Amino acid sequence: MALEIEHKFLLASDDWRREIQYSESFKQGYLSSQPTSSIRVRICEQRAWLNIKSATIGTHRHEYEYEIPVADAREILAELCHKPLIEKTRHYVRHGDDLWEIDEFDGANQGLIVAEIELDAIGRAFAKPAWVGAEVTADLRYYNNNLARHPYSEWRDQ
Protein backbone atom coordinates (compact mmCIF):
# COMPACT_ATOMS: atom_id res chain seq x y z
CA MET A 1 0.00 0.00 0.00
CA ALA A 2 1.34 3.44 -0.95
CA LEU A 3 1.43 6.03 1.81
CA GLU A 4 2.13 9.74 1.42
CA ILE A 5 3.45 11.47 4.55
CA GLU A 6 3.47 15.22 4.05
CA HIS A 7 3.42 18.51 5.97
CA LYS A 8 2.26 21.80 4.35
CA PHE A 9 3.39 25.27 5.39
CA LEU A 10 2.95 28.87 4.40
CA LEU A 11 6.10 30.88 3.78
CA ALA A 12 7.54 33.42 6.20
CA SER A 13 9.84 35.04 3.62
CA ASP A 14 11.15 34.74 0.06
CA ASP A 15 14.62 33.65 1.22
CA TRP A 16 13.95 30.15 -0.18
CA ARG A 17 14.24 31.56 -3.70
CA ARG A 18 18.04 31.85 -3.33
CA GLU A 19 18.21 28.10 -2.62
CA ILE A 20 16.16 26.73 -5.56
CA GLN A 21 17.89 23.70 -7.11
CA TYR A 22 15.44 23.29 -10.01
CA SER A 23 11.81 23.94 -10.94
CA GLU A 24 9.07 22.19 -12.93
CA SER A 25 5.68 23.28 -14.27
CA PHE A 26 2.57 21.30 -13.40
CA LYS A 27 -0.97 21.33 -14.70
CA GLN A 28 -3.51 19.12 -13.00
CA GLY A 29 -7.23 18.59 -12.89
CA TYR A 30 -9.68 16.60 -10.84
CA LEU A 31 -11.98 13.98 -12.31
CA SER A 32 -13.57 13.25 -8.96
CA SER A 33 -13.42 14.58 -5.44
CA GLN A 34 -15.46 12.58 -2.96
CA PRO A 35 -15.53 12.46 0.85
CA THR A 36 -13.32 9.35 0.70
CA SER A 37 -10.92 10.08 -2.18
CA SER A 38 -9.88 12.25 -5.10
CA ILE A 39 -8.82 11.27 -8.61
CA ARG A 40 -6.66 13.64 -10.61
CA VAL A 41 -4.64 13.82 -13.80
CA ARG A 42 -1.33 15.67 -13.75
CA ILE A 43 1.11 16.74 -16.44
CA CYS A 44 4.67 17.78 -15.62
CA GLU A 45 6.79 18.72 -18.59
CA GLN A 46 6.55 15.67 -20.91
CA ARG A 47 5.20 13.13 -18.40
CA ALA A 48 1.68 12.52 -17.08
CA TRP A 49 0.05 10.56 -14.26
CA LEU A 50 -3.29 9.42 -12.97
CA ASN A 51 -3.35 9.82 -9.19
CA ILE A 52 -5.77 8.49 -6.57
CA LYS A 53 -5.57 9.81 -2.99
CA SER A 54 -7.56 9.10 0.11
CA ALA A 55 -9.30 12.19 1.47
CA THR A 56 -7.72 11.85 4.89
CA ILE A 57 -7.03 15.11 6.69
CA GLY A 58 -3.60 15.35 8.28
CA THR A 59 -0.04 14.34 7.63
CA HIS A 60 -0.52 10.96 5.94
CA ARG A 61 -2.87 9.36 3.45
CA HIS A 62 -3.02 6.58 0.88
CA GLU A 63 -1.78 7.57 -2.57
CA TYR A 64 -1.55 5.62 -5.82
CA GLU A 65 0.02 7.01 -8.97
CA TYR A 66 0.20 5.58 -12.49
CA GLU A 67 1.97 7.01 -15.50
CA ILE A 68 -0.27 7.60 -18.55
CA PRO A 69 0.37 8.95 -22.07
CA VAL A 70 0.70 12.76 -22.16
CA ALA A 71 -1.75 13.01 -25.10
CA ASP A 72 -4.38 11.19 -23.03
CA ALA A 73 -3.71 13.46 -20.05
CA ARG A 74 -4.11 16.61 -22.17
CA GLU A 75 -7.44 15.36 -23.50
CA ILE A 76 -8.67 14.40 -20.02
CA LEU A 77 -7.67 17.82 -18.64
CA ALA A 78 -9.43 19.61 -21.48
CA GLU A 79 -12.58 17.51 -21.66
CA LEU A 80 -13.25 15.72 -18.38
CA CYS A 81 -11.73 17.59 -15.43
CA HIS A 82 -13.47 20.14 -13.26
CA LYS A 83 -12.36 23.71 -13.89
CA PRO A 84 -10.38 25.67 -13.03
CA LEU A 85 -7.32 23.49 -13.45
CA ILE A 86 -4.48 23.72 -10.96
CA GLU A 87 -1.45 25.39 -12.53
CA LYS A 88 1.75 25.76 -10.56
CA THR A 89 5.50 25.85 -10.64
CA ARG A 90 7.13 23.52 -8.17
CA HIS A 91 10.50 24.67 -6.89
CA TYR A 92 12.79 22.14 -5.20
CA VAL A 93 14.88 23.41 -2.29
CA ARG A 94 17.22 21.30 -0.18
CA HIS A 95 17.52 22.08 3.52
CA GLY A 96 19.88 19.75 5.35
CA ASP A 97 19.00 16.20 4.33
CA ASP A 98 15.44 17.10 3.31
CA LEU A 99 14.05 18.18 -0.03
CA TRP A 100 11.31 20.81 0.21
CA GLU A 101 8.79 21.34 -2.58
CA ILE A 102 7.53 24.91 -2.87
CA ASP A 103 4.41 25.26 -5.03
CA GLU A 104 3.91 28.69 -6.55
CA PHE A 105 0.41 28.75 -8.01
CA ASP A 106 -0.76 30.44 -11.20
CA GLY A 107 -4.18 30.94 -12.80
CA ALA A 108 -7.10 31.12 -10.37
CA ASN A 109 -4.75 30.41 -7.46
CA GLN A 110 -2.11 33.00 -8.35
CA GLY A 111 -0.51 34.57 -5.29
CA LEU A 112 -0.59 31.40 -3.21
CA ILE A 113 2.74 29.79 -2.31
CA VAL A 114 2.89 26.66 -0.16
CA ALA A 115 5.92 24.68 1.03
CA GLU A 116 5.64 20.91 1.48
CA ILE A 117 7.94 18.30 2.88
CA GLU A 118 7.37 14.59 2.27
CA LEU A 119 8.72 12.23 4.90
CA ASP A 120 9.60 8.56 4.84
CA ALA A 121 8.03 7.77 8.23
CA ILE A 122 5.10 9.08 10.26
CA GLY A 123 6.34 11.34 13.03
CA ARG A 124 9.89 11.65 11.67
CA ALA A 125 11.53 14.83 12.92
CA PHE A 126 12.70 17.42 10.41
CA ALA A 127 14.35 20.82 10.61
CA LYS A 128 12.23 23.77 9.50
CA PRO A 129 14.11 26.39 7.51
CA ALA A 130 13.81 30.02 8.70
CA TRP A 131 11.70 30.83 5.63
CA VAL A 132 8.95 28.36 6.66
CA GLY A 133 5.92 29.89 8.35
CA ALA A 134 2.69 28.54 9.81
CA GLU A 135 1.76 24.89 9.26
CA VAL A 136 -1.46 24.44 7.26
CA THR A 137 -1.46 20.63 6.92
CA ALA A 138 -4.87 20.34 8.59
CA ASP A 139 -6.42 23.33 6.76
CA LEU A 140 -8.52 21.87 3.95
CA ARG A 141 -8.41 25.11 1.94
CA TYR A 142 -4.79 24.37 0.98
CA TYR A 143 -5.44 20.92 -0.48
CA ASN A 144 -5.18 21.04 -4.28
CA ASN A 145 -8.55 19.35 -4.79
CA ASN A 146 -10.15 22.15 -2.74
CA LEU A 147 -8.17 24.84 -4.58
CA ALA A 148 -9.70 23.50 -7.81
CA ARG A 149 -13.21 24.07 -6.40
CA HIS A 150 -12.53 27.14 -4.25
CA PRO A 151 -9.56 28.99 -5.81
CA TYR A 152 -7.35 31.24 -3.71
CA SER A 153 -8.44 34.26 -5.79
CA GLU A 154 -11.96 33.84 -4.35
CA TRP A 155 -10.98 33.63 -0.68
CA ARG A 156 -12.31 36.54 1.36
CA ASP A 157 -9.83 36.26 4.27
CA GLN A 158 -6.56 36.20 2.31
Side-chain angles (χ1 to χ4, degrees):
M1 185 176 318
L3 190 64
E4 175 188 59
I5 305 163
E6 173 181 271
H7 291 265
K8 291 179 183 278
F9 297 88
L10 297 178
L11 283 294
S13 75
D14 279 342
D15 291 346
W16 59 271
R17 291 187 186 278
R18 293 192 307 263
E19 302 175 39
I20 294 171
Q21 292 189 326
Y22 64 99
S23 303
E24 298 176 307
S25 295
F26 287 85
K27 186 178 282 191
Q28 65 191 46
Y30 289 83
L31 292 159
S32 174
S33 187
Q34 303 297 319
T36 58
S37 63
S38 66
I39 302 171
R40 76 172 180 217
V41 171
R42 171 185 273 179
I43 296 176
C44 175
E45 310 300 332
Q46 295 303 312
R47 297 181 70 196
W49 299 267
L50 177 67
N51 176 282
I52 303 164
K53 279 189 184 186
S54 63
T56 309
I57 300 169
T59 60
H60 57 282
R61 65 183 129 206
H62 301 293
E63 179 180 33
Y64 306 91
E65 194 164 73
Y66 307 96
E67 195 158 351
I68 62 173
V70 173
D72 289 356
R74 285 190 180 115
E75 188 172 316
I76 292 168
L77 288 172
E79 303 296 330
L80 302 177
C81 289
H82 302 287
K83 305 300 187 280
L85 297 176
I86 298 292
E87 301 172 73
K88 62 187 176 182
T89 301
R90 176 165 288 169
H91 306 284
Y92 296 89
V93 176
R94 185 154 300 281
H95 180 76
D97 291 334
D98 294 316
L99 185 64
W100 288 77
E101 298 173 348
I102 294 124
D103 287 343
E104 189 168 10
F105 291 84
D106 293 316
N109 290 293
Q110 188 167 10
L112 178 61
I113 304 174
V114 178
E116 299 177 352
I117 183 169
E118 288 195 24
L119 303 174
D120 54 5
I122 297 170
R124 179 174 77 75
F126 59 93
K128 287 196 314 186
W131 39 261
V132 167
E135 184 164 2
V136 294
T137 303
D139 190 333
L140 294 176
R141 296 178 302 166
Y142 294 96
Y143 285 52
N144 284 314
N145 63 337
N146 287 328
L147 290 170
R149 288 180 291 151
H150 306 288
Y152 183 70
S153 61
E154 297 175 3
W155 294 8
R156 294 189 188 279
D157 60 348
Q158 293 182 42

